[in-house]
């Protein structure tokens, strides 16, 4: 496990050279917020990182309900029974393995590895603008119907799940990246993903912290370029 720290944000990365999977610890005055739960084998690393910061994990916040973001959730919940679990109201269904689309949603199939055996149920169903400690929830659908990102109000750092990837190159969800196409292959709706990317750009992030790849400082320019590329690709596909 690789550990990278930027201010209040600590990135934990497994398999950084091959298939990087990230989760994040956000330091609060009292306790830590864990964003995403990575893979089942990541439990020990997450707990050690929290111990190294000398604080307890009091919240587990999920950007979306794909297996590589919720894999360790059940084991963590057993170890941290007092920690509150948060996910968007929309992706709470996905967390239970339900791929059904809601009325009015684009009829594109929900893709990616959706959990079938997670037993933990969220304590809180998030909506746009909710506060979770120092974080503000931003609704950024596209990769999944209920994907959310989280902006640290103290620093402007944005933890975006798979709304962007930064491994190999910075790209919007749905844009296929050579040698690492997996986030694109698991994206539900590219049009929604492009809108959400623009929404994240408008937030003026100081750090882009994605589910796959390194944290990116001062990311506005590269986000603009990624959005431009996504728009070109979408236009070519029409």
């Amino acid at each position: 496990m690789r550990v990278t720290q930027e201010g209040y944000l600590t990135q934990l990365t497994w398999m950084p050279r091959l298939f990087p999977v990230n989760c994040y610890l956000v330091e609060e005055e009292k306790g830590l917020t864990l964003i995403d739960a990575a893979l089942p084998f990541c439990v020990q690393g997450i707990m050690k990182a929290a111990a190294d910061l000398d604080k307890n994990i009091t919240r587990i916040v999920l950007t979306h309900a794909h297996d590589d973001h919720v894999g360790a959730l059940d084991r963590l919940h057993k170890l941290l029974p007092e920690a509150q679990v948060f996910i968007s109201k929309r992706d709470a269904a996905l967390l239970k393995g339900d791929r059904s689309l809601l009325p009015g949603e684009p009829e594109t199939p929900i893709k990616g590895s959706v959990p079938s055996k997670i037993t933990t149920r969220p304590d809180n169903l998030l909506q746009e603008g909710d506060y979770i400690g120092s974080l503000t929830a931003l609704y950024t659908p596209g990769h999944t119907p209920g994907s959310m990102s989280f902006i640290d109000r103290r620093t402007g750092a944005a933890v975006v799940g798979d709304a962007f990837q930064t491994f190999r190159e910075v790209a919007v969800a749905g844009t296929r990246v050579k040698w690492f196409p997996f986030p694109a292959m698991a994206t539900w709706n590219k049009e929604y993903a492009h809108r959400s990317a623009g929404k994240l750009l408008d937030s003026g992030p100081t750090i882009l912290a994605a589910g796959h790849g390194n944290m990116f400082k001062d990311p506005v320019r590269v986000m603009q370029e990624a959005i431009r590329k996504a728009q070109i690709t979408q236009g070519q596909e029409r």
Side-chain angles (χ1 to χ4, degrees):
M1 181 186 75
R2 186 186 68 193
V3 179
T4 309
Q5 192 163 12
E6 291 288 347
Y8 298 107
L9 189 61
T10 299
Q11 181 193 64
L12 311 180
T13 306
W14 291 265
M15 304 175 291
R17 296 182 181 180
L18 178 65
F19 192 113
V21 173
N22 300 328
C23 65
Y24 295 88
L25 290 169
V26 180
E27 285 195 69
E28 300 283 0
E29 185 176 348
K30 296 180 180 179
L32 299 167
T33 297
L34 173 68
I35 303 181
D36 285 337
L39 294 160
F41 65 82
C42 300
V43 174
Q44 185 175 355
I46 292 170
M47 296 299 292
K48 182 181 184 304
D52 289 345
L53 292 168
D54 198 25
K55 290 187 176 181
N56 295 322
I57 296 171
T58 59
R59 305 179 187 93
I60 301 172
V61 179
L62 304 173
T63 61
H64 64 288
H66 279 155
D67 274 336
D68 56 334
H69 293 256
V70 304
L73 179 61
D74 279 348
R75 288 185 61 195
L76 285 169
H77 194 241
K78 288 180 180 179
L79 292 170
L80 304 164
E82 300 303 315
Q84 294 277 296
V85 178
F86 299 71
I87 195 170
S88 73
K89 183 177 180 180
R90 176 62 185 89
D91 261 27
L94 227 57
L95 189 63
K96 295 188 288 187
D98 183 357
R99 292 177 182 261
S100 302
L101 293 169
L102 298 181
E105 289 181 339
E107 294 184 4
T108 47
I110 295 175
K111 301 176 183 178
S113 180
V114 173
S116 59
K117 296 181 180 179
I118 294 290
T119 59
T120 301
R121 293 294 169 253
D123 302 290
N124 301 275
L125 300 181
L126 292 170
Q127 300 185 59
E128 172 90 11
D130 283 351
Y131 283 5
I132 312 100
S134 297
L135 304 173
T136 300
L138 198 67
Y139 184 45
T140 51
H143 188 65
T144 66
S147 289
M148 298 203 85
S149 300
F150 301 95
I151 312 296
D152 192 320
R153 298 187 301 279
R154 299 166 296 186
T155 64
V159 183
V160 303
D162 288 351
F164 281 87
Q165 69 181 72
T166 62
F167 188 57
R168 304 299 185 195
E169 68 178 78
V170 177
V172 175
T175 302
R176 192 170 291 241
V177 172
K178 189 176 183 181
W179 305 120
F180 197 69
F182 309 107
M185 293 167 62
T187 293
W188 164 61
N189 187 279
K190 292 181 182 180
E191 185 174 347
Y192 275 41
H194 299 165
R195 291 180 196 168
S196 293
K199 189 175 182 180
L200 282 163
L201 178 64
D202 289 344
S203 75
T206 58
I207 295 173
L208 181 65
H212 305 282
N214 295 341
M215 288 190 284
F216 208 108
K217 292 182 181 179
D218 301 318
V220 168
R221 184 187 60 80
V222 293
M223 291 172 71
Q224 289 172 332
E225 178 59 24
I227 291 169
R228 186 189 68 82
K229 182 175 180 179
Q231 290 169 338
I232 291 171
T233 302
Q234 186 180 25
Q236 292 172 342
E237 291 174 350
R238 286 175 176 167

